[in-house]
Amino acid sequence: MIKRFFDWLKKPLGLIAVGITFLALFSLAAYGISLSQQPPAQPVQFPHKIHIAFGIQCLYCHPGAAKGPAAGIPAEAKCWGCHNQIVKTQTSILLKPLKDSVISGTPLQWVPVAQVPDFVQFNHRAHIAAGQNCENCHGDMSKMTVAENPQIFNMGFCLKCHTKVAGENHDLLVKLTDCGTCHY
Amino acid sequence: MAIELKVSEVKMGEAYVGKWGMVIDQDMCTGCQACVAACAMENNISFVGETDSGYGRSMHWIRIERFWEGSYPEVKMTPNQPMLCQQCGAATCEPVCPAFATVHSQAEQLNLQVYNRCVGTRYCANNCPYQVRSFNWRDYKRPEPLSNQLNPDVTVRRRGVMEKCTFCIQRIHKAQDKAKSEGREVVDGEFTTACAQACPASAITFGRVDNPDSLVSQLARVHGHGVKHLEELGTLPNVTYFKGG
């Protein structure tokens, strides 16, 4: 039975079947990988580049980055502070979710994009205080609409910068490459 | 970067001073277990339940040990003994880990457990003379309202991972971060561990042992007869016990 099957595989029809199977598996894998590389769907297609073009600083909407561990995603009240004075807000279909959210009082369910695993404890404040700019990790937002990651936040990415910043300072290197600095 | 082995640096019998340390006054301890509860709350420790506890799989980073003296008619209880990770300077758990998951923090002088490196051989727990490490035998459930009390500053451990007392390293980092943002050093007594904070009898004191002016150093001097458990093994523990003072 199995021998007959292998014999059939060597015939033209069998070879075509093998080829189609491989192609299907390959395209499925490629599709899966491409899915994991796309930024997640957001309730509003928030255009970062337009807001930055108006001269709004990162810390205006994400003030937590300078004060504590989490940068935070602004509440609708903050969006509404500017947007209720803009006529386009009332008419635009793209901004309808924001208008609905403010009227009904239900918060927008933003999807976090830049994330680290649970076993990593990240603190924005220390990085901002050390003179790092947002774009060093998050990329140039003036070219992005919906936030996306310019790189994967893995340990190599963190340590590359940590060792570079420490340089010849041995005490700082010990502190910045200590496991307990990020993992606890 | 080359790995430098610094085994020869710490010698037995040599005066060793760590960084963070604790003094526990056993005469003050009432055995109320408030520290045990506070530790579980602070550090997201799972509740293993009755069945697994029966198998000796209970998970606590601190426990109250009770001992008895004498034979039956004249049985006397010795003072309660809170037992937690002694944060040894030369820890026996560290060299046996095949995955380098239990490493010594050079910056904070603590024994760390890196959960994402741990592969669960449990060798460290077998080699710990204080028996203070606990292993996640299962993914223990937290029924709905309980998940709301998880501490976001501490990793939620999964099944197959060893865990242990960290001297509340998340509080250490928080205090250091706050001090740095205000441009000063961490003040003694500014923060403390969850167990020390919860202790109603103030039996547990936490602080810098390398600072002679800190409360822990002063208490150690005043009592003068502190005991470090199993010191003869050369583990250089950072927790000092007082009894019969």
Side-chain angles (χ1 to χ4, degrees):
Chain A
M1 179 69 194
I2 289 170
K3 194 178 174 300
R4 268 178 63 197
F5 176 69
F6 277 110
D7 284 343
W8 177 76
L9 281 183
K10 283 169 195 161
K11 283 173 189 161
L13 200 66
L15 285 173
I16 291 167
V18 169
I20 288 172
T21 315
F22 267 105
L23 269 177
L25 284 174
F26 179 78
S27 52
L28 205 70
Y31 177 65
I33 290 168
S34 74
L35 270 188
S36 70
Q37 300 303 308
Q38 284 167 7
Q42 302 283 2
V44 177
Q45 293 299 303
F46 182 84
H48 274 93
K49 60 179 173 188
I50 292 178
H51 289 79
I52 292 168
F54 282 129
I56 302 166
Q57 300 290 314
C58 306
L59 287 176
Y60 181 76
C61 295
H62 306 285
K67 295 174 193 159
I73 293 170
E76 293 73 52
K78 191 157 230 166
C79 309
W80 204 240
C82 297
H83 270 278
N84 68 348
Q85 300 164 34
I86 301 167
V87 182
K88 210 177 171 186
T89 310
Q90 305 297 332
T91 54
S92 171
I93 301 166
L94 290 171
L95 283 162
K96 201 174 175 296
L98 173 67
K99 203 181 146 192
D100 291 348
S101 146
V102 171
I103 291 167
S104 63
T106 46
L108 288 168
Q109 298 293 318
W110 298 103
V111 186
V113 174
Q115 278 178 307
V116 287
D118 185 35
F119 50 77
V120 180
Q121 311 292 336
F122 180 80
N123 191 343
H124 271 96
R125 196 210 65 82
H127 292 82
I128 299 287
Q132 295 296 322
N133 284 328
C134 307
E135 62 264 29
N136 293 4
C137 299
H138 295 289
D140 191 355
M141 280 290 167
S142 64
K143 294 193 179 71
M144 285 183 215
T145 49
V146 178
E148 50 192 277
N149 272 344
Q151 67 267 310
I152 302 164
F153 294 128
N154 56 16
M155 204 165 116
F157 173 73
C158 298
L159 278 180
K160 207 172 141 190
C161 193
H162 274 201
T163 43
K164 200 179 88 187
V165 165
E168 297 295 307
N169 187 342
H170 184 257
D171 286 349
L172 191 60
L173 185 70
V174 164
K175 175 74 187 163
L176 288 181
T177 56
D178 196 79
C179 302
T181 303
C182 307
H183 301 291
Y184 46 85
Chain B
M1 214 185 335
I3 298 168
E4 291 172 29
L5 289 174
K6 293 182 178 172
V7 183
S8 59
E9 275 187 12
V10 182
K11 286 183 190 130
M12 269 182 77
E14 200 179 87
Y16 166 78
V17 181
K19 189 173 177 184
W20 300 100
M22 202 176 257
V23 290
I24 297 177
D25 196 333
Q26 286 179 253
D27 297 328
M28 305 263 244
C29 179
T30 61
C32 71
Q33 313 251 0
C35 49
V36 179
C39 178
M41 299 295 110
E42 171 74 16
N43 293 302
N44 300 340
I45 300 173
S46 300
F47 307 102
V48 301
E50 206 174 320
T51 323
D52 272 7
S53 250
Y55 286 114
R57 296 171 180 178
S58 58
M59 289 172 69
H60 297 298
W61 289 4
I62 182 170
R63 61 173 191 268
I64 307 289
E65 290 184 337
R66 299 185 300 169
F67 298 105
W68 285 269
E69 275 177 352
S71 52
Y72 167 58
E74 289 96 32
V75 177
K76 211 179 106 192
M77 214 181 111
T78 60
N80 297 300
Q81 181 173 292
M83 181 51 76
L84 71 162
C85 177
Q86 309 287 304
Q87 305 290 351
C88 309
T92 48
C93 53
E94 283 164 4
V96 294
C97 182
F100 297 101
T102 170
V103 286
H104 203 73
S105 165
Q106 297 299 328
E108 303 299 338
Q109 296 296 325
L110 297 174
N111 306 119
L112 303 171
Q113 181 70 26
V114 184
Y115 305 122
N116 47 320
R117 264 191 199 166
C118 180
V119 294
T121 64
R122 315 197 297 282
Y123 201 163
C124 52
N126 288 328
N127 220 33
C128 175
Y130 307 100
Q131 299 289 308
V132 287
R133 290 173 158 265
S134 46
F135 186 68
N136 286 273
W137 286 91
R138 299 175 203 283
D139 277 326
Y140 296 102
K141 286 199 173 58
R142 287 184 180 85
E144 192 26 59
L146 280 179
S147 57
N148 292 323
Q149 65 94 38
L150 287 172
N151 186 352
D153 296 336
V154 180
T155 308
V156 178
R157 279 83 56 186
R158 50 166 294 176
R159 187 183 64 167
V161 167
M162 187 62 72
E163 58 183 60
K164 65 176 275 293
C165 165
T166 59
F167 262 6
C168 286
I169 192 168
Q170 69 278 9
R171 293 187 176 206
I172 295 177
H173 282 307
K174 211 170 194 169
Q176 283 174 342
D177 189 59
K178 188 164 179 280
K180 211 169 177 185
S181 71
E182 292 165 8
R184 57 178 173 84
E185 292 288 308
V186 178
V187 185
D188 185 47
E190 181 182 341
F191 77 104
T192 187
T193 59
C195 52
Q197 189 185 3
C199 184
S202 304
I204 306 173
T205 315
F206 173 80
R208 288 286 287 263
V209 283
D210 55 350
N211 177 7
D213 300 328
S214 68
L215 188 58
V216 271
S217 307
Q218 287 181 31
L219 279 172
R221 271 203 303 277
V222 167
H223 283 76
H225 54 266
V227 169
K228 291 192 174 178
H229 282 300
L230 299 175
E231 203 180 13
E232 65 275 18
L233 298 176
T235 52
L236 309 174
N238 271 322
V239 181
T240 311
Y241 288 83
F242 300 124
K243 183 162 72 169

